[in-house]
Amino acid sequence: MAIRGTFFSGLTLLFIGFLGFVCIPAEAATKKYQFDVQVKNVSRLCHAKPIVTVNGRFPGPTIFVKEGDRVQINVTNHAQYNMSIHWHGLKQYRNGWADGPAYITQCPVQTGSNYVYDFNVTGQRGTLWWHAHILWLRATVYGAIVILPKQGVPFPFPQPNREQTILLGEWWNTDVEEVVKEGTNLGVPPNMSDAHTINGKPGPLFPCSEKYTFAMEVELGKTYLLRIINAALNDELFFAIAGHNMTVVEIDAVYTKPFTTQALLIAPGQTTNVLVQANQVPNRYFMAARPFIDVPIPIDNRTATAILQYKGIPNTILPKLPILPASNDSSFVMSYNKKLRSLNTPTYPANVPLKVDRKLFYTIGLGRNDCPTCVNGTRLTASLNNISFVMPQIGLLQAHYFNTKGVFRTDFPDKPPTPFNYTGAPLTANLGTIQGTRLSKIAFNSTVELVLQDTSLLTVESHPFHLHGYNFFVVGTGIGNFDPAKDPAKYNLVDPPERNTVGVPTGGWTAIRFLADNPGVWFLHCHLELHTGWGLKTAFVVEDGPGKDQTILPPPKDLPQC
Ligand SMILES: *[C@@H]1O[C@H](CO)[C@@H](O)[C@H](O)[C@H]1NC(C)=O
Ligand SMILES: *[C@@H]1O[C@H](CO)[C@@H](O)[C@H](O)[C@H]1NC(C)=O
Ligand SMILES: *[C@@H]1O[C@H](CO)[C@@H](O)[C@H](O)[C@H]1NC(C)=O
Ligand SMILES: *[C@@H]1O[C@H](CO)[C@@H](O)[C@H](O)[C@H]1NC(C)=O
Ligand SMILES: *[C@@H]1O[C@H](CO)[C@@H](O)[C@H](O)[C@H]1NC(C)=O
Ligand SMILES: *[C@@H]1O[C@H](CO)[C@@H](O)[C@H](O)[C@H]1NC(C)=O
Ligand SMILES: *[C@@H]1O[C@H](CO)[C@@H](O)[C@H](O)[C@H]1NC(C)=O
Ligand SMILES: *[C@@H]1O[C@H](CO)[C@@H](O)[C@H](O)[C@H]1NC(C)=O
Ligand SMILES: *[C@@H]1O[C@H](CO)[C@@H](O)[C@H](O)[C@H]1NC(C)=O
Ligand SMILES: *[C@@H]1O[C@H](CO)[C@@H](O)[C@H](O)[C@H]1NC(C)=O
Ligand SMILES: *[C@@H]1O[C@H](CO)[C@@H](O)[C@H](O)[C@H]1NC(C)=O
Ligand SMILES: *[C@@H]1O[C@H](CO)[C@@H](O)[C@H](O)[C@H]1NC(C)=O
C-alpha cells in the first residue's frame, strides 16, 4: 500500500455542523429548506459522471432542526428521473403524506414539478437522515437530519465540545440506474459498487483520492459527538477509529445506556451517535468502514477511510488503520447488538408494550421466478410469507384515504401459508413465490408483535428491516427457528433498544413490538435496496382511531398525482 506523505496535500478539512456554527432559533420555529434535485458531474476513483444530487451537493445538505420545529422542504425536481424523498425515522404522526416512499404514500414528484414536505418534529431528538425513496436514486441523493433537543434541555451524556455527521455510502463508477436495469433484465444481482465512502469520499486506499478524502480536525482534550449514518444501499458496515474507543449514546434518534466499544456495526438505514475523546498522542488516525457479511455472497468488501487529524499535525504524516472485526465476525455482531439498551429513565422511558393484541410471524425468503427473457430463464426474487410485493401504479395512502378499490388487498397473512423448517438445510428447489400488492390491516392503538424469521430459501442472509411511521422495541433475537413456546420468556421487556431499522440475523429471527397509534399506510421493508427491489416489502394499513385527532390528516393541496 503506497501511501506517501504528499499524497494528502490537496486534502480539504471540512467542518460542517459543529455546535455554535449553525444558527438555530431558541423557540420552536418553522424551518424552510429548498431542495433542488439536479444532475451534477461528480468525479471519484478517476471517473467523472453525472449524478442526481440535491442542490448540487454530494452528500446532500444537512437538515438542522430542534425538537418541536415545523419543517417545510420544497423539493423541486430538475432531473430526468421521477423523485420522492423519505425522512427516515421521522414518525410523521397522522401525516403519511410527508413520508415519501414512491407509490406507497405518494406519487412521485415528476420532472419539472415540486412538492413541499411539511411536517412537525414531535417527541424525537437525535440523528436521522433523508434519502430518495424511488429506484436506486438514494445512492447519491441522501443527507443527514440533526434534531437538537429543545432549548435548555441537555443531552443525557457529557456535553461534547463539537459534533460531526459521518455519512457512510456506496459509489458506482457507472450510472446506478443503468446498473440496476441491467441486473433486472438479466434476472441476476446488479454489479456491486466500486467503493464505499465516508461523507461521499472513498479515501486514500482508492485511486485518485487525493482530493477525495474526508478529514476531521480535532483538538487534544476535547470530546466529539459523531453522528454516524449508514446510507449504503446494500452493505451492513463495521466502523472504527484507529487508537480511539467510541462511547455509543444513541441509535436511530433514541438515547441508549452508554457503552464503550472499539468498533461498531451499522446496517443500512440505521444511525449511531458516539462520543469520541481526542485523548491520544496527537497524530493522524484513520476512521474506516468495511462490510460485515457472514455468508459466501460476493459483495463490495472494500474499506473506505477518512482521517481524524489532531490540530497542528502536518498532512504528511501517515495515518494508522484501525482494527476492524473480520468481515464474517457474527459473534462480534451478536455481542455488540446485545449491548444496545434503551436509556429507560423517567425522562426517556422505554414504553414497551407488555400485552400483545396482534401476533405476526413473517418469513423472509429469497427465491427464483420464471423469466423467459432473462439470462437464466429465471429472475431472482424475495418475499415475506412467500409473497413478493408488487408495486402499485398510484400511492397506497391515497388509495386508502379516498377508498379507491382494486389497488391493494388487505389479506397479507399473519403467518406463513405453509410452515417448514425455516433454517434447516438450504432449500434450492421450488423457489417460486406469489406476487401481489397485499397489505395487513392493523386496528388503531393495538399492540403488535412481529417476528421476522430468516429462512434458508436459496440462502440464509442478514436483513435490516425498516418500518416507516414508527419506532419499535427490539424485544428478542436468536439464531435458528423462533420457538413461540420458549423464546418469549427470554425477551427483554425492560430496556430493549428502540429503533426504526433492525437487523434480522443470518439464519435467525428478531422480534419487535410497537403500539399502532399512528394511522396511515406504513411501509415495512428490507433496507438492502437489492432485496427491496426484488419484493421484500409490504405495508401496514393502520386504521383511524375514534377521536378527531386520531385520523389521517387531509392530504396537502400540492400532493403529486400519478
Ligand atoms: C459531465 O461529464 C461528461 C463526461 O463524463 C461530459 O460528457 C459532460 O459534458 C459533462 N457535463 C457537464 C454539465 O459538465
Ligand atoms: C418551490 O420551488 C419552486 C422552484 O424554485 C418554486 O417555483 C415554488 O414557488 C416553490 N414553492 C414554495 C411553496 O416555496
Ligand atoms: C404542525 O404544527 C402546526 C402548529 O401546531 C400545525 O398548524 C400543523 O397542522 C402541524 N402539521 C402537521 C402535519 O401535523
Ligand atoms: C457490469 O459489470 C460488467 C463486468 O465488469 C460490465 O461489462 C458491465 O458493463 C457492467 N454494467 C454496467 C451497467 O455498468
Ligand atoms: C478501549 O477500550 C478497551 C476495552 O475496554 C481498553 O482496553 C482500551 O485501553 C481502551 N483504549 C483507549 C484508547 O481508551
Ligand atoms: C473480497 O471479495 C473478493 C471477491 O468479491 C474476494 O476475492 C476477497 O477474498 C474478499 N476479501 C475479504 C477480505 O473478504
Ligand atoms: C470467517 O472466514 C474465515 C476465512 O476468511 C474462516 O476461516 C472462518 O472460519 C470464518 N468464520 C466464521 C465465523 O464463519
Ligand atoms: C445466471 O447466469 C449468470 C450468467 O451466466 C450466472 O453467473 C449466474 O450464476 C446464474 N444465476 C443463477 C441464479 O442461476
Ligand atoms: C431443522 O433443520 C436442522 C438442520 O438441518 C435440523 O438440525 C433440525 O433438527 C430441523 N428441525 C426440525 C424441527 O426438523
Ligand atoms: C410459495 O408459493 C409458490 C407458488 O404458489 C409455491 O410453489 C411454493 O411452494 C411456496 N413456497 C413456500 C416456501 O411456501
Ligand atoms: C391506547 O391504548 C392504551 C392501552 O393499551 C390506552 O391506555 C390509551 O388510552 C389508548 N390511547 C388511545 C389514543 O386510544
Ligand atoms: C413518473 O411517474 C409517473 C406517475 O407515476 C409515471 O406515469 C411516469 O411514467 C414516470 N416517469 C418515469 C420516467 O418513470
Side-chain angles (χ1 to χ4, degrees):
M1 200 167 48
I3 301 181
R4 298 267 178 278
T6 50
F7 206 80
F8 302 112
S9 53
L11 174 69
T12 40
L13 282 175
L14 279 191
F15 240 106
I16 51 162
F18 58 84
L19 287 174
F21 185 74
V22 175
C23 187
I24 304 229
E27 300 305 320
T30 299
K31 305 237 24 187
K32 297 193 182 191
Y33 284 85
Q34 178 71 31
F35 269 29
D36 284 304
V37 177
Q38 53 195 218
V39 172
K40 201 188 169 193
N41 266 355
V42 165
S43 172
R44 296 288 186 274
L45 312 180
C46 326
H47 292 258
K49 64 160 187 176
I51 61 167
V52 183
T53 65
V54 165
N55 300 347
R57 292 168 62 180
F58 172 66
T62 299
I63 296 211
F64 282 98
V65 294
K66 212 185 259 308
E67 182 183 344
D69 282 352
R70 180 175 188 165
V71 189
Q72 290 174 330
I73 303 152
N74 182 7
V75 173
T76 308
N77 187 5
H78 306 281
Q80 75 272 35
Y81 298 107
N82 280 338
M83 181 51 64
S84 82
I85 294 187
H86 173 49
W87 318 93
H88 185 118
L90 281 162
K91 290 186 191 168
Q92 307 288 10
Y93 187 61
R94 304 170 58 207
N95 187 31
W97 310 113
D99 192 38
Y103 302 108
I104 306 299
T105 59
Q106 68 166 93
C107 295
V109 182
Q110 296 185 35
T111 306
S113 312
N114 76 287
Y115 176 45
V116 178
Y117 290 88
D118 184 352
F119 53 87
N120 293 319
V121 179
T122 311
Q124 294 184 275
R125 75 300 297 170
T127 306
L128 293 171
W129 64 299
W130 57 266
H131 61 81
H133 212 306
I134 184 166
L135 307 170
W136 280 37
L137 293 173
R138 76 178 179 86
T140 57
V141 180
Y142 63 85
I145 300 176
V146 173
I147 310 167
L148 295 176
K150 286 183 175 160
Q151 183 71 17
V153 178
F155 294 127
F157 46 78
Q159 206 66 16
N161 297 95
R162 288 186 172 180
E163 53 175 87
Q164 174 68 54
T165 54
I166 302 281
L167 284 140
L168 311 177
E170 269 181 284
W171 174 265
W172 276 260
N173 282 334
T174 48
D175 181 344
V176 183
E177 289 311 321
E178 290 306 315
V179 171
V180 179
K181 234 182 262 168
E182 184 179 74
T184 307
N185 289 340
L186 298 176
V188 298
N191 290 352
M192 64 178 78
S193 53
D194 297 297
H196 291 102
T197 56
I198 298 179
N199 288 344
K201 298 169 181 184
L205 304 189
F206 288 90
C208 301
S209 284
E210 303 91 276
K211 286 201 297 267
Y212 304 120
T213 297
F214 173 76
M216 168 181 172
E217 192 182 72
V218 298
E219 278 179 64
L220 184 65
K222 295 219 155 113
T223 301
Y224 296 82
L225 177 68
L226 302 191
R227 300 175 177 273
I228 306 162
I229 296 161
N230 186 348
L233 279 88
N234 295 313
D235 298 331
E236 299 185 57
L237 296 166
F238 290 121
F239 176 86
I241 307 171
H244 294 73
N245 286 337
M246 301 175 285
T247 303
V248 176
V249 292
E250 183 207 298
I251 51 171
D252 295 5
V254 181
Y255 297 129
T256 58
K257 292 196 168 75
F259 68 93
T260 296
T261 187
Q262 283 166 301
L264 58 85
L265 176 79
I266 184 164
Q270 295 182 331
T271 68
T272 304
N273 279 10
V274 299
L275 292 173
V276 175
Q277 287 183 315
N279 60 3
Q280 296 301 299
V281 178
N283 207 330
R284 300 172 86 218
Y285 297 87
F286 267 135
M287 309 179 205
R290 185 185 65 199
F292 160 58
I293 181 87
D294 60 353
V295 282
I297 290 175
I299 64 162
D300 172 12
N301 57 18
R302 285 164 280 218
T303 307
T305 52
I307 299 171
L308 185 85
Q309 176 156 355
Y310 281 70
K311 199 174 177 175
I313 298 298
N315 286 350
T316 46
I317 305 248
L318 185 72
K320 296 174 185 161
L321 271 170
I323 299 161
L324 289 164
S327 295
N328 61 355
D329 194 345
S330 359
S331 59
F332 171 89
V333 169
M334 225 182 302
S335 80
Y336 174 81
N337 283 335
K338 238 185 220 158
K339 291 179 201 155
L340 298 171
R341 308 239 157 183
S342 285
L343 195 54
N344 192 25
T345 58
T347 317
Y348 303 104
N351 295 316
V352 190
L354 299 178
K355 166 185 89 50
V356 175
D357 299 322
R358 182 85 176 273
K359 281 195 176 150
L360 306 174
F361 183 78
Y362 292 0
T363 52
I364 300 166
L366 297 177
R368 211 179 274 142
N369 285 327
D370 289 342
C371 172
T373 58
C374 292
V375 60
N376 303 323
T378 59
R379 126 180 321 151
L380 289 167
T381 188
S383 64
L384 280 171
N385 279 351
N386 205 29
I387 298 166
S388 298
F389 188 84
V390 175
M391 287 300 266
Q393 305 286 311
I394 69 164
L396 296 175
L397 182 60
Q398 287 96 314
H400 168 59
Y401 187 83
F402 294 108
N403 206 11
T404 312
K405 302 288 178 210
V407 178
F408 64 87
R409 285 158 50 179
T410 52
D411 61 351
F412 191 92
D414 285 7
K415 54 184 180 10
T418 320
F420 59 101
N421 189 349
Y422 304 115
T423 56
L427 298 167
T428 52
N430 189 20
L431 292 169
T433 62
I434 303 159
Q435 323 275 307
T437 310
R438 293 167 64 178
L439 282 58
S440 193
K441 197 178 259 191
I442 307 283
F444 177 77
N445 204 36
S446 57
T447 51
V448 180
E449 176 178 300
L450 167 63
V451 176
L452 287 157
Q453 171 74 60
D454 188 30
T455 69
S456 53
L457 285 159
L458 200 55
T459 174
V460 289
E461 196 176 345
S462 154
H463 298 273
F465 260 79
H466 174 45
L467 175 61
H468 291 226
Y470 290 91
N471 281 352
F472 48 73
F473 292 95
V474 185
V475 294
T477 188
I479 299 300
N481 299 340
F482 173 71
D483 182 343
K486 291 198 186 126
D487 287 323
K490 294 178 238 159
Y491 283 172
N492 175 2
L493 300 175
V494 178
D495 60 355
E498 178 186 342
R499 56 190 329 167
N500 62 56
T501 306
V502 68
V504 178
T506 300
W509 57 271
T510 292
I512 64 172
R513 284 188 184 182
F514 62 96
L515 174 70
D517 60 355
N518 189 7
V521 176
W522 303 109
F523 209 16
L524 170 74
H525 62 99
C526 179
H527 217 281
L528 306 182
E529 217 47 51
L530 182 62
H531 295 162
T532 318
W534 287 350
L536 198 43
K537 54 196 171 187
T538 181
F540 292 126
V541 183
V542 179
E543 293 176 298
D544 280 347
K548 251 199 2 246
D549 55 354
Q550 295 169 354
T551 57
I552 298 173
L553 292 168
K557 290 203 175 61
D558 61 340
L559 184 71
Q561 302 298 312
C562 284

